[in-house]
Amino acid sequence: MSFTYKPVDARDIEYLKSVCDPERVMTGESIHEDYSHDELAGIHRYPDVVVEVESREEVAEIMKYAWKNSIPVTPRGQGTGLVGAAVPVQGGILLSLVRMNKILELDEDNLTLTVEPGVLLMEISKYVESHDLFYPPDPGEKSATIGGNINTNAGGMRAVKYGVTRDFVRGLEVVLPNGEVVKMGGKIVKDSSGYSLKDLIIGSEGTLGIVTAATLRLLPLPRIAISLLIPFPTMETAIETVPKIIKSKNIPTAIEYMERRVILNAEDYLGKKFPDATSDAYLLLTFDGNTREEVEKQYEKVAHICLDAGALDVFISDTEERQDSIWSARGAFLEAIKASTTEMDECDVVVPRKNIASFIRYTRQIEKELDIRIASFGHAGDGNLHVYLLKDEMDDETYRKKLTAAFDRLYQKGEELGGHVSGEHGIGYAKREYLKKTAGDTYMQLLRNIKTAFDPKNILNPEKICC
Amino acid sequence: MSFTYKPVDARDIEYLKSVCDPERVMTGESIHEDYSHDELAGIHRYPDVVVEVESREEVAEIMKYAWKNSIPVTPRGQGTGLVGAAVPVQGGILLSLVRMNKILELDEDNLTLTVEPGVLLMEISKYVESHDLFYPPDPGEKSATIGGNINTNAGGMRAVKYGVTRDFVRGLEVVLPNGEVVKMGGKIVKDSSGYSLKDLIIGSEGTLGIVTAATLRLLPLPRIAISLLIPFPTMETAIETVPKIIKSKNIPTAIEYMERRVILNAEDYLGKKFPDATSDAYLLLTFDGNTREEVEKQYEKVAHICLDAGALDVFISDTEERQDSIWSARGAFLEAIKASTTEMDECDVVVPRKNIASFIRYTRQIEKELDIRIASFGHAGDGNLHVYLLKDEMDDETYRKKLTAAFDRLYQKGEELGGHVSGEHGIGYAKREYLKKTAGDTYMQLLRNIKTAFDPKNILNPEKICC
């Protein structure tokens, strides 16, 4: 499908300045460079105009206008995405939602929190924890907005026990491409009232509608969390222990894997020592619960499982300080790898849990065969790997060639192992070809039909996912 | 939208008999009466032909043919639905999926079970429990098929702690209206690879595609489950205790409410005494876990919360026998109420948890004002009520009038309280008007657009949900 858009002109800018405070409407030189890319910065394009919206009404007015005039609109949170989903590849209007950052309501009886889309993850966790409550999704990037998290169906470290963002969104308020406002879900716990529009919006990367409010599900805050850092002689031994842990009836909150070279990157980046970096491979586990005894009972059993499976040791971090030091290192892996090279791109593949070892082995093979440095870490408990391909000292052309060759083979392998292109970072602009290759024509046509069901003029975040 | 369908003729029957063993193709007198209605039997229509399919290939062949010839097709499981979703209101082909009842694969490393759609819930629980595993969704109707459960996004008793069917479907194989076969999801735990088609199919009541295989997520089987039956002086006191329990960090597996008159119905129906029927209102809780101490600790705290909130007593059922007697009574409520009257219809509304008491109070008011007997029970822990309007000795016209008046007001009230039309039984044919009234035009138009995205000829289960 090809669509024709109206170029943004002076009259459009004038209109936008009549809807929003003119100080929040930026054009030309006054557009910050940040607005032309996301975190991985592989895709660049400046929008014609940036509008920093402050309310649902403003979003709705702007969408009505853009709809009538066929102007492309790209919604954006903090720009912490990795696949170009928030880059305005067709120019037009960039709608920044970061000023819509109010916590609207904490409902302690229904255990829900209603927020605007620009509230940051770190603000949500701080706020609910001060009320003895808990929002489990825990992606590494705490400065992402909740709107961004909903739009990628972000996962994070605690998905093993608690699930992903989808599992914690009860209700959404969404402005459609034509400016109409629709509510989906609510504070209700169950719903069988027609197709789940809410579940379509979750993970739709800003292509079907703009989330202007979200009602999140909370849990009571577990009183205790204890982490175990477990060194293994090889990554295989580490990873092959995971299914045994999962089956043991002692489900950890998190099961992360990490390799020594990434830990060393993080030590350099943070200027801090990791508790141990003498082994090649580690599992990092967390257990949570309401009493120390309950948590101890769980992790003791799992520690034995690991030792029986070949673990070299088990380091228990039961003080907040020690845990913080480990988890802040884990949270800095992406930044640390980025700092260790000149440029990088990533593969966020997800495979069935028992196939992670095969996939990691394959990345090693690719690394050798294509002579490109590959760093990886990720969520061993849920089969979601983050594999980074690093440019280092290569020239642009060599890097592009190797990148393409590596991605082709990695995604192909992922598919062979029963996996999908993205576990939590999305498809956006950068991964469309790989989705197309692995999902097949019929699947892609359904995605395009759904896009048309919401946005027949294709003005909302065009050229993403399937278009 | 209006669509024209080709009437089924002798050539069509001949074709169907060439695809499937002719013994599995029934027409005219040989069609069993069961195929003309579902469990509540309010909507009747015979199909022109019933085909009892045995494979994905047969389903795909039949859909290709029906698509080419514009013949309506209605998929059907065990027919235990309550809203007419499996009734072929446009005639045509009824595809019975009950013979597709094979358990295809248990994957103990990935904790998944792959099944055909006709496998019964009771078979799944028996099978996985024999492997020390657990499929948590637990609707009252254990003889329903898993395909039916997926298509209504069935909830059941354990949703408080574990969630609903949606939370336990990892992958689907779906035959589209045009006969193409698409796989959605898989054995993977996370997925951010484009719009979640899987989540659209879940709860779509057989209108978007036909599920021919499903990969379900399993958990390790909890070793211990203990139930508490807790009498309260009034329903209000009982229900108002629920948010306190939820917030207490001791989340029960189930929180059901029941009133004395329904318990008496069940005693009559089963010919068995319930452990206690002297109070007006009861909460029935279950706690599960891996050690008796862990479970005891949880329920003791909750028992105290209930007693502090005005409970009259706490009966602990810690033997399998005592628990079975309580839960089999609970499981028989629907049948027992049905047996107590001449005809009935139900309202499966879901409201935010803290508004259940208001809703129940309102049903009492309706009961008086409209002079119609109303029985209710349901899932207090997740705000999902089952409210039955009973015909008793009324004549047809009076009953229809009262039913309409009562439904109008109940659904209106549900909406005012922040609820939706259906918590777990679906919209089907019977509840379309109420969905329309409460969801609004824009929402309904999106549903219709999605239906068109999958089924532009509207041949698959027409006139359901939104068409």
Side-chain angles (χ1 to χ4, degrees), chain A residues 418-458:
Chain A
H420 273 204
V421 177
S422 170
E424 57 183 18
H425 295 163
I427 300 301
Y429 185 78
K431 305 299 175 191
R432 291 178 308 164
E433 285 311 307
Y434 300 108
L435 180 63
K436 215 164 133 183
K437 271 185 197 161
T438 53
D441 291 344
T442 307
Y443 197 94
M444 292 307 289
Q445 189 56 52
L446 282 176
L447 297 190
R448 280 191 297 270
N449 291 353
I450 287 167
K451 170 69 173 164
T452 306
F454 280 78
D455 183 15
K457 289 187 167 185
N458 198 28

Side-chain angles (χ1 to χ4, degrees), chain B residues 109-176:
Chain B
D109 282 330
N110 287 309
L111 291 190
T112 59
L113 181 76
T114 302
V115 294
E116 289 188 326
V119 178
L120 306 187
L121 270 190
M122 60 174 97
E123 291 165 354
I124 290 177
S125 59
K126 202 174 132 195
Y127 181 84
V128 300
E129 284 167 26
S130 76
H131 290 82
D132 204 23
L133 293 167
F134 183 41
Y135 176 70
D138 185 35
E141 181 56 83
K142 320 291 183 213
S143 69
T145 63
I146 186 68
N149 265 237
I150 291 167
N151 270 292
T152 51
N153 187 23
M157 332 275 190
R158 299 190 190 116
V160 185
K161 181 168 176 181
Y162 293 105
V164 297
T165 303
R166 183 181 303 285
D167 303 306
F168 290 88
V169 178
R170 289 243 189 271
L172 294 176
E173 177 189 83
V174 174
V175 175
L176 298 178

Side-chain angles (χ1 to χ4, degrees), chain A residues 66-222:
Chain A
W67 177 261
K68 216 177 97 191
N69 292 284
S70 298
I71 300 171
V73 177
T74 303
R76 187 186 199 271
Q78 281 281 80
T80 57
L82 302 171
V83 292
V87 181
V89 293
Q90 284 282 351
I93 301 168
L94 187 79
L95 267 196
S96 167
L97 293 142
V98 294
R99 284 171 178 267
M100 290 184 67
N101 61 359
K102 283 193 286 298
I103 289 176
L104 300 172
E105 187 206 16
L106 174 67
D107 180 337
E108 298 205 50
D109 282 330
N110 287 311
L111 290 190
T112 59
L113 182 76
T114 302
V115 294
E116 290 188 325
V119 179
L120 306 186
L121 270 190
M122 60 173 97
E123 293 165 352
I124 290 177
S125 59
K126 202 174 130 196
Y127 181 83
V128 301
E129 284 169 26
S130 75
H131 289 84
D132 204 24
L133 293 168
F134 183 42
Y135 176 69
D138 185 36
E141 181 57 83
K142 319 291 182 211
S143 69
T145 63
I146 186 69
N149 265 238
I150 292 167
N151 269 291
T152 50
N153 186 24
M157 332 275 192
R158 299 190 190 116
V160 186
K161 181 167 174 181
Y162 292 106
V164 297
T165 303
R166 183 181 304 285
D167 303 305
F168 291 88
V169 178
R170 289 242 189 272
L172 294 175
E173 178 189 83
V174 174
V175 175
L176 298 177
N178 66 4
E180 289 187 278
V181 182
V182 165
K183 295 202 176 195
M184 304 170 179
K187 288 184 180 174
I188 48 177
V189 174
K190 294 156 96 177
D191 198 0
S192 292
S193 311
Y195 313 138
S196 183
L197 298 185
K198 183 189 78 176
D199 280 292
L200 257 189
I201 296 292
I202 298 167
S204 67
E205 306 186 52
T207 63
L208 302 181
I210 298 175
V211 172
T212 49
T215 297
L216 307 173
R217 166 191 171 208
L218 305 176
L219 295 178
L221 183 66

Side-chain angles (χ1 to χ4, degrees), chain A residues 39 141 265 269 331-341 344 377:
Chain A
E39 182 73 19
E141 181 57 83
N265 286 152
Y269 179 75
F333 279 176
L334 171 62
E335 289 298 326
I337 294 172
K338 205 174 160 186
S340 81
T341 188
M344 66 183 198
F377 61 88

Side-chain angles (χ1 to χ4, degrees), chain B residues 170-225:
Chain B
R170 289 243 189 271
L172 294 176
E173 177 189 83
V174 174
V175 175
L176 298 178
N178 66 4
E180 288 188 278
V181 182
V182 165
K183 294 202 179 197
M184 304 170 179
K187 288 184 181 176
I188 49 178
V189 173
K190 295 156 96 177
D191 198 0
S192 291
S193 311
Y195 314 138
S196 183
L197 298 184
K198 181 188 79 176
D199 280 293
L200 258 188
I201 295 292
I202 298 168
S204 67
E205 306 185 49
T207 63
L208 302 181
I210 298 176
V211 173
T212 49
T215 298
L216 308 173
R217 166 191 171 208
L218 304 176
L219 295 178
L221 183 67
R223 289 193 184 92
I224 311 275

